[in-house]
Amino acid sequence: MTAETPDQQRPVRLIGAWFAPAVGASVLGFYGSFQLQEETGELIRHSFFNDVAPPAAPYLFLAALTGLLVFGFLRHATLWMVGQPTAQSVLREIPHRMRNAVRLGLAQDKVRRDRYAGIMHWCIFSSIIVLTFVTAQVAVHDDFGIEFLKGDYLNFFTFYGDLFGLVGLVGVGMALARRYFSDFHRIRWDERFEDHLIILGLGLVLLTGFIVEALRIAAEPSVFADDAGMLTLTEDAAPFAFISYPIARFIELFEMPGSQVEGAHFVSWWSHVTLSFSWLGLIVFTRLDHIFFAPINAFLLRTDSPGRLSRIPNLEEREIFGVGYIQDFSWKQLFELDACVRCGRCTEVCPANLAGQPLSPMHLIQDLKAHLADVGPAVQRVGHEGGDTRAVSPVAMVGDVIKDETLWACRTCGACVQECPVMIEHVPTIVDMRRYLVMDEARLPATAQGALENLETRGHPWRGTSLERTTWMEGLGDVPLFDGNQDYLYWVGCSGALVERNLPITKAVFKLLRESGASFGVLGQEETCNGDPARRLGNEYLYQILAEQLVMTFKEKNVQRVITNCPHCFNTFKNEYPQFDGHFEVLHHTEFLSGALRDGSLRATHPVGEDVAYHDSCYLGRINGVYDAPRQIVEMVPGANLVEMRRNMSKGLCCGAGGGNMWQEEVGERRVNHVRSEEAVRTGAQQVISNCPFCIQMFEDGVPAVQPEEEGRIRPFDIAELLERAVFGPGGGEAKEPAAAAAVSDGDRET
Amino acid sequence: MHFVVCAKQIPDPETPPSAFKIDPQKNEVIPAQGIAPVLSQFDSIAAEAALRLKEAAGDSKITVISMGAESAQAAIKQVLAMGADEGLLLNDPAFTKGDPHTTAKVLTAAVQKLGDVDAVFCGRQAADWDWGQTGLLMAEGLGWPSAIIAKGVALDGQQLSVERVLEDGYETAQAPLPAVVTVSNEFGEPRYPKLQQIMQAARKTVTTWTAADLGLDAAEVGEAGSRLRLEKLFIPEKEGKVELMEGDTATEKAQALVKALQGAKVL
């Protein structure tokens, strides 16, 4: 099993493999040009063959293209500029950003997450790069009088020119196969005329390139036959033009007179040049603009954790809190809209979308993009005149363009962000609009409102709980309170303390910590919600109050290191509390426990002879990159056999509860936890193991719905519960209610 | 139009049973540690009703009144954040430990002092003691018509049209203004305040009136003026008993079970 590290920490690698052929060949080209310049070879590429056009012609095209690109860029840029400054300066951490631009932009790390598309895209991309270089060398040779395309290098040059022409055609072929000869659905979710134009156009550019080359080969000997010792293509050199030479031979079969061949060459040259520049011109008008926007967006990509949402500064002094108008997004968020290539990868992995719920990240981005194009110019004009830019649009961005239920369906699981090949960050954009709904408009689902009100009045989101924060301690003997002298604070969290099903998990973690000999304490009644549900639901104000309060408590109590059993608490403490000057060393229980197993302070001796499917929670896995620790625990439990689910690690599927959806009624065809439970059932394992109280609750609820037969039903457990059995023996060393009973009663509530 | 909303701060009804304690000697609820009191849910629905009328009528004002200790400011601010205009706290040591009658007396005095009130909205009952009398007694004291347990309220000229919840449906009643309405949970969910309103509410100052301000004698309000006496406050004990049916055969056990059930008057 190979575990992935999160993208943030991933070293720059494989770039060599990606670029070696393209860059290597071109560098060699330059090398060759200088090495061979002084030698006299009998082989040379003839400048201005056939006098197809005045030498200036291609440069006029180039100038026109450049002008068009600049015009297009400025036209886009004026729209981006209606946005606000970014929270994080894009000029900070330049080396990190450059690395992202190389790794994600040039080396296309994300594109390769779809293998087929990765190969296809590499073929096209490297072919365009190399052939641009080929063309540039011809220009230098022809127009600047530096005649280096001769001798052996000309052979080599011919070879890789042909090779990458072929590579490009393979790429185009793959693209055509996917678009026209397969039922590959996602590229057709928003198919437009330009998509056909781009791929067919590129195919024609490459084909005409070969034809021009072949006709030149076919025609040249007749032209230069008596120019002593200056044959362009000898029989020896023929194998290097391994595509165009056979085509030339094929053309010769028609025994056309020389003038006719030259005429054909003339026509195809012009077609090729016109097509090439026109195709490049598409950059301005179509999604081909990703050629530039993707690497730029990689550069602009946040350098901090994807688990961190932005902090709204000076909330008390503001009049607007969320983003309800397009101009309230940052310019970077608007820029991203233009980078979108409609590939659909985000929507394909979106848990809400998989369950038929009303969210498609791709359409969300495209709808915002269209809205920006609609109202952006007017916003800009009115802004210049000092008018009210909010009155510009006849439709409401949030509500009309983007429906409320679309925003509420988001799990903030980050799957879309993870997959996006052009590095769009959908989640912060969605949360910004939620902030508008909650704080500016007070328009939110009743259940979410209930959770937020409960957070305000009771400091936890679990409305109607009959448990206290100390209930879990019953029967555990002496539970030490954190006094500032212990090494760790064990943070139980609201879900760990106030939801019946999670109490055994909390107890298990506690017992394992105690068994490991760790020095730790708990806060008991003094715990309050750290604010995560409020922040993810869009109530940044409430979040800041709760966060500031808790940071203060932690500091007063001299908390340095925290162990959590909830990945959401983990993420909040680790990635978001530094925004409030709360810097703590944060461990998820799986990290601590796997360490304790490795150093021998915990021993898993009792066999658990079952297949266990492991479910990566989003906030531990994809967002924080902890994939290995939990798997190591399972591997160290004797007899337990780890089974991977179809979607795992960075491709793991959300349980459905993230982003505050734990407290919302789901709208749509299915429920996300049913989808994920089905995937767990399909592994054939006896247990599904996770590391998050929400995931466990969702499985407890979802499994009985998709597996009504109680006999042989897959049982959801936290990894601490599994380890508890392995360390203390069956029953965890004490009699306790089997979790299966909880599953049944939850199943009864299923409608 | 000037509407008044009566808001009561109560011990959190969601206090976990294990944390709910009483003092049997003093016949008092001991405030649970770390569990803050809340605005009675029915009162927030009454506020919602008043807000919707205000929106429909336009050019109106809502005053929220709470009788309680300084901590009741939080309940007042909550209604202010929902959109009420002014807050009024009726705070006097003499007001404590009253009954619905004395509470209604204090609130009535406040409404009379305000003077220009067109309608008073109360929750159908306070979610702590559940008497459900204060609103009615206020109507009595003010000499106004009242409509209780409303699920809908609308202005109809100078009349108030009220949909009242009945056991098997609802009826629509008309009342001339001024009037008192008590609002039931069937009315709908109270709104979630916008952040701007929360901040504005936080900046508003709440006026406090004492018994003297209201011209009330300490003897006629609070414990002194109460007509109801609380005899005994206790938490009912729940116990479960298991009795195993004796018998050699299933039939004998079943017969024993039937007898036991008949004995317990279940059958």
Side-chain angles (χ1 to χ4, degrees):
Chain A
M1 184 189 62
T2 53
E4 289 189 45
T5 50
D7 283 351
Q8 283 66 37
Q9 291 141 33
R10 201 172 194 170
V12 179
R13 61 179 182 192
L14 284 169
I15 289 172
W18 272 105
F19 265 38
V23 176
S26 303
V27 169
L28 272 171
F30 271 128
Y31 175 74
S33 71
F34 293 110
Q35 287 301 306
L36 296 171
Q37 200 168 2
E38 299 308 315
E39 289 171 29
T40 50
E42 61 276 17
L43 204 61
I44 188 157
R45 183 190 165 92
H46 290 114
S47 303
F48 311 122
F49 161 78
N50 199 15
D51 284 329
V52 280
Y59 296 95
L60 286 176
F61 273 111
L62 188 63
L65 177 68
T66 312
L68 197 60
L69 288 178
V70 170
F71 160 77
F73 189 84
L74 290 178
R75 200 182 52 143
H76 281 294
T78 52
L79 284 181
W80 307 325
M81 287 307 137
V82 306
Q84 306 300 313
T86 51
Q88 192 191 24
S89 166
V90 297
L91 297 176
R92 288 236 181 104
E93 303 185 62
I94 297 288
H96 188 120
R97 291 175 184 281
M98 290 305 291
R99 218 157 44 234
N100 275 347
V102 171
R103 180 170 63 84
L104 301 169
L106 296 179
Q108 302 158 14
D109 254 21
K110 301 261 186 176
V111 182
R112 281 180 287 137
R113 289 174 68 84
D114 171 351
R115 236 185 143 145
Y116 186 94
I119 294 169
M120 176 205 90
H121 196 267
W122 178 81
C123 287
I124 292 176
F125 174 78
S126 57
S127 146
I128 291 172
I129 295 271
V130 173
L131 294 180
T132 305
F133 234 84
V134 162
T135 311
Q137 289 179 65
V138 170
V140 169
H141 178 91
D142 283 4
D143 302 339
F144 295 92
I146 307 168
E147 298 202 328
F148 65 95
L149 294 177
K150 58 191 175 184
D152 288 343
Y153 181 64
L154 179 57
N155 283 338
F156 182 55
F157 173 82
T158 313
F159 168 73
Y160 75 74
D162 266 26
L163 176 66
F164 278 90
L166 179 65
V167 164
L169 280 174
V170 167
V172 170
M174 289 176 79
L176 292 174
R178 205 171 229 197
R179 189 168 290 281
Y180 301 113
F181 303 101
S182 77
D183 54 358
F184 193 74
H185 49 287
R186 67 167 158 79
I187 50 171
R188 277 184 220 110
W189 285 338
D190 189 4
E191 196 170 50
R192 299 180 193 177
F193 177 67
E194 62 178 61
D195 301 340
H196 310 292
L197 211 57
I198 289 170
I199 197 60
L200 295 174
L202 180 61
L204 280 179
V205 167
L206 292 167
L207 278 177
T208 51
F210 273 124
I211 290 168
V212 174
E213 174 74 359
L215 284 169
R216 194 171 65 86
I217 293 166
E220 242 182 340
S222 63
V223 178
F224 292 96
D226 37 20
D227 198 344
M230 294 284 267
L231 286 172
T232 319
L233 200 71
T234 63
E235 288 299 326
D236 292 344
F240 295 102
F242 69 103
I243 305 280
S244 28
Y245 190 77
I247 301 177
R249 282 275 164 272
F250 178 75
I251 291 168
E252 282 168 16
L253 290 179
F254 294 94
E255 294 180 349
M256 288 186 284
S259 61
Q260 212 170 338
V261 177
E262 282 168 41
H265 175 258
F266 181 86
V267 171
S268 59
W269 187 91
W270 273 101
S271 321
H272 179 65
V273 170
T274 322
L275 274 169
S276 302
F277 281 104
S278 311
W279 190 82
L280 289 170
L282 290 178
I283 292 174
V284 176
F285 305 106
T286 68
R287 61 175 183 160
L288 210 51
D289 54 14
H290 78 274
I291 291 176
F292 295 110
F293 292 167
I296 295 175
N297 207 32
F299 178 87
L300 297 177
L301 183 67
R302 54 155 14 134
T303 53
D304 53 1
S305 164
R308 174 185 289 186
L309 290 172
S310 68
R311 171 173 183 242
I312 303 179
N314 307 323
L315 261 177
E316 309 272 348
E317 289 147 35
R318 295 174 77 96
E319 286 180 353
I320 310 156
F321 307 100
V323 175
Y325 299 84
I326 196 89
Q327 60 270 32
D328 293 337
F329 281 121
S330 75
W331 63 265
K332 192 258 183 186
Q333 284 171 305
L334 298 182
F335 174 83
E336 279 181 351
L337 306 179
D338 277 332
C340 176
V341 291
R342 291 179 281 112
C343 68
R345 294 181 189 212
C346 49
T347 296
E348 190 177 41
V349 296
C350 174
N353 196 271
L354 279 167
Q357 297 177 7
L359 167 63
S360 159
M362 176 184 84
H363 289 99
L364 180 128
I365 295 294
Q366 284 297 324
D367 291 346
L368 287 176
K369 179 178 173 172
H371 182 65
L372 174 63
D374 279 352
V375 305
V379 167
Q380 201 189 13
R381 196 181 55 244
V382 173
H384 278 307
E385 292 161 3
D388 180 11
T389 56
R390 265 156 237 290
V392 165
S393 173
V395 292
M397 183 178 77
V398 178
D400 293 336
V401 178
I402 307 295
K403 303 271 179 252
D404 291 13
E405 62 263 32
T406 297
L407 298 173
W408 293 119
C410 176
R411 267 64 182 182
T412 71
C413 74
C416 49
V417 180
Q418 176 79 39
E419 294 306 324
C420 183
V422 295
M423 283 61 71
I424 293 172
E425 297 174 78
H426 314 68
V427 173
T429 292
I430 289 173
V431 173
D432 279 345
M433 288 188 277
R434 279 189 179 184
R435 287 173 171 178
Y436 171 77
L437 278 177
V438 173
M439 292 190 286
D440 296 285
E441 289 289 294
R443 205 163 79 213
L444 64 165
T447 44
Q449 179 178 332
L452 288 174
E453 283 168 348
N454 217 64
L455 274 175
E456 282 160 32
T457 49
R458 304 182 179 102
H460 68 77
W462 294 108
R463 191 150 67 149
T465 182
S466 59
L467 304 179
E468 286 189 82
R469 290 202 185 259
T470 49
T471 308
W472 65 271
M473 298 178 186
E474 283 162 21
L476 287 175
D478 184 30
V479 177
L481 287 179
F482 187 81
D483 59 14
N485 295 318
Q486 295 112 326
D487 291 343
Y488 295 99
L489 166 70
Y490 169 37
W491 176 264
V492 174
C494 307
S495 301
L498 302 173
V499 177
E500 194 87 44
R501 168 60 187 96
N502 298 325
L503 262 49
I505 302 172
T506 306
K507 285 173 186 250
V509 174
F510 173 82
K511 283 165 67 183
L512 291 166
L513 289 178
R514 184 164 63 183
E515 178 72 13
S516 75
S519 143
F520 72 101
V522 300
L523 284 185
Q525 291 285 19
E526 285 184 85
E527 269 195 19
T528 51
C529 178
N530 56 36
D532 169 75
R535 185 169 242 198
R536 302 257 148 1
L537 281 170
N539 194 335
E540 177 69 8
Y541 175 70
L542 178 57
Y543 169 75
Q544 292 193 5
I545 291 174
L546 292 166
E548 279 164 7
Q549 198 179 314
L550 194 55
V551 167
M552 217 189 323
T553 307
F554 276 14
K555 284 183 175 171
E556 276 168 12
K557 297 205 172 278
N558 192 27
V559 173
Q560 309 278 343
R561 282 176 289 271
V562 187
I563 298 172
T564 76
N565 60 18
C566 171
H568 298 266
C569 298
F570 171 76
N571 179 68
T572 299
F573 293 147
K574 185 175 172 160
N575 296 321
E576 298 195 324
Y577 272 22
Q579 293 171 319
F580 299 88
D581 198 30
H583 302 274
F584 313 103
E585 191 188 312
V586 189
L587 291 175
H588 185 259
H589 71 46
T590 53
E591 294 178 296
F592 181 87
L593 295 175
S594 69
L597 283 169
R598 270 198 309 275
D599 69 23
S601 49
L602 272 182
R603 279 172 210 286
T605 48
H606 299 270
V608 180
E610 288 193 328
D611 287 347
V612 298
Y614 180 70
H615 164 84
D616 288 278
S617 68
C618 308
Y619 273 81
L620 190 66
R622 182 164 41 242
I623 290 169
N624 283 295
V626 181
Y627 301 117
D628 293 347
R631 286 178 170 79
Q632 285 164 1
I633 295 178
V634 178
E635 278 164 6
M636 280 188 269
V637 167
N641 178 34
L642 178 66
V643 186
E644 287 293 351
M645 295 175 74
R646 185 168 74 87
R647 300 173 211 262
N648 61 48
M649 292 198 260
S650 67
K651 296 199 175 190
L653 177 66
C654 175
C655 67
N661 270 269
M662 188 79 238
W663 302 279
Q664 285 186 51
E665 294 291 337
E666 287 177 75
V667 183
E669 292 162 24
R670 301 195 65 196
R671 296 172 59 165
V672 174
N673 63 334
H674 293 184
V675 176
R676 187 54 167 168
S677 296
E678 254 170 24
E679 295 186 356
V681 169
R682 227 173 282 145
T683 60
Q686 286 89 49
Q687 300 181 18
V688 54
I689 297 289
S690 189
N691 50 59
C692 170
F694 295 162
C695 297
I696 299 293
Q697 282 169 259
M698 294 314 263
F699 278 123
E700 290 284 10
D701 179 78
V703 168
V706 298
Q707 207 180 15
E709 233 4 81
E710 207 180 320
E711 184 81 23
R713 188 187 278 169
I714 191 167
R715 290 160 297 143
F717 288 113
D718 188 276
I719 197 150
E721 292 176 295
L722 174 74
L723 188 59
E724 182 192 23
R725 259 171 297 153
V727 170
F728 300 104
E734 63 181 286
K736 72 172 186 188
E737 208 179 322
V744 178
S745 64
D746 278 3
D748 292 343
R749 284 205 299 274
E750 192 58 40
T751 48
Chain B
M1 293 265 176
H2 186 185
F3 304 121
V4 159
V5 173
C6 298
K8 184 179 183 187
Q9 193 180 44
I10 60 169
D12 190 349
E14 290 207 6
T15 305
S18 54
F20 183 75
K21 303 262 160 44
I22 57 163
D23 182 339
Q25 259 69 51
K26 290 189 189 164
N27 265 0
E28 271 178 12
V29 177
I30 303 170
Q33 253 206 331
I35 298 176
V38 299
L39 170 65
S40 176
Q41 174 71 6
F42 298 112
D43 296 349
S44 61
I45 300 168
E48 178 65 35
L51 284 162
R52 287 196 207 167
L53 268 199
K54 178 186 164 180
E55 282 157 6
D59 192 30
S60 302
K61 182 170 90 166
I62 295 177
T63 304
V64 49
I65 305 182
S66 182
M67 190 191 89
E70 196 56 32
S71 69
Q73 290 251 9
I76 293 173
K77 294 268 174 172
Q78 200 175 326
V79 181
L80 287 175
M82 285 173 73
D85 302 279
E86 283 169 20
L88 185 54
L89 176 66
L90 311 177
N91 184 7
D92 195 304
F95 295 158
T96 56
K97 293 188 188 174
D99 64 2
H101 175 79
T102 59
T103 306
K105 187 175 276 180
V106 175
L107 292 170
T108 302
V111 171
Q112 280 166 338
K113 186 169 175 177
L114 284 171
D116 59 344
V117 177
D118 294 291
V120 171
F121 292 87
C122 303
R124 60 176 286 172
Q125 66 208 57
D128 52 354
W129 290 99
D130 293 323
W131 287 113
Q133 297 178 1
T134 306
L136 272 171
L137 291 167
M138 279 177 78
E140 182 68 20
L142 290 161
W144 295 357
S146 68
I148 61 164
I149 318 187
K151 73 183 270 285
V153 183
L155 265 181
D156 188 3
Q158 275 303 299
Q159 298 248 314
L160 207 53
S161 172
V162 182
E163 285 174 16
R164 293 191 53 245
V165 180
L166 302 177
E167 210 166 278
D168 50 359
Y170 68 90
E171 64 179 15
T172 306
Q174 299 268 340
L177 292 176
V180 176
V181 180
T182 76
V183 184
S184 182
N185 41 315
E186 284 89 345
F187 188 88
E189 288 285 318
R191 68 192 58 194
Y192 192 71
K194 297 180 181 180
L195 182 48
Q196 271 222 319
Q197 293 175 309
I198 295 176
M199 290 179 175
Q200 281 163 4
R203 285 192 281 269
K204 276 185 184 159
T205 44
V206 173
T207 315
T208 302
W209 285 348
T210 61
D213 293 326
L214 294 170
L216 290 167
D217 186 355
E220 56 179 333
V221 293
E223 196 170 15
S226 280
R227 301 177 188 184
L228 281 163
R229 286 274 166 263
L230 181 64
E231 287 294 329
K232 188 182 174 201
L233 186 65
F234 65 98
I235 297 172
E237 295 210 356
K238 283 182 192 163
E239 48 179 319
K241 268 199 283 187
V242 178
E243 205 177 312
L244 289 174
M245 294 302 131
E246 305 283 333
D248 295 332
T249 64
T251 317
E252 279 177 37
K253 285 181 191 170
Q255 282 166 346
L257 177 62
V258 170
K259 265 186 197 151
L261 290 175
Q262 280 169 339
K265 300 216 162 75
V266 178
L267 286 179

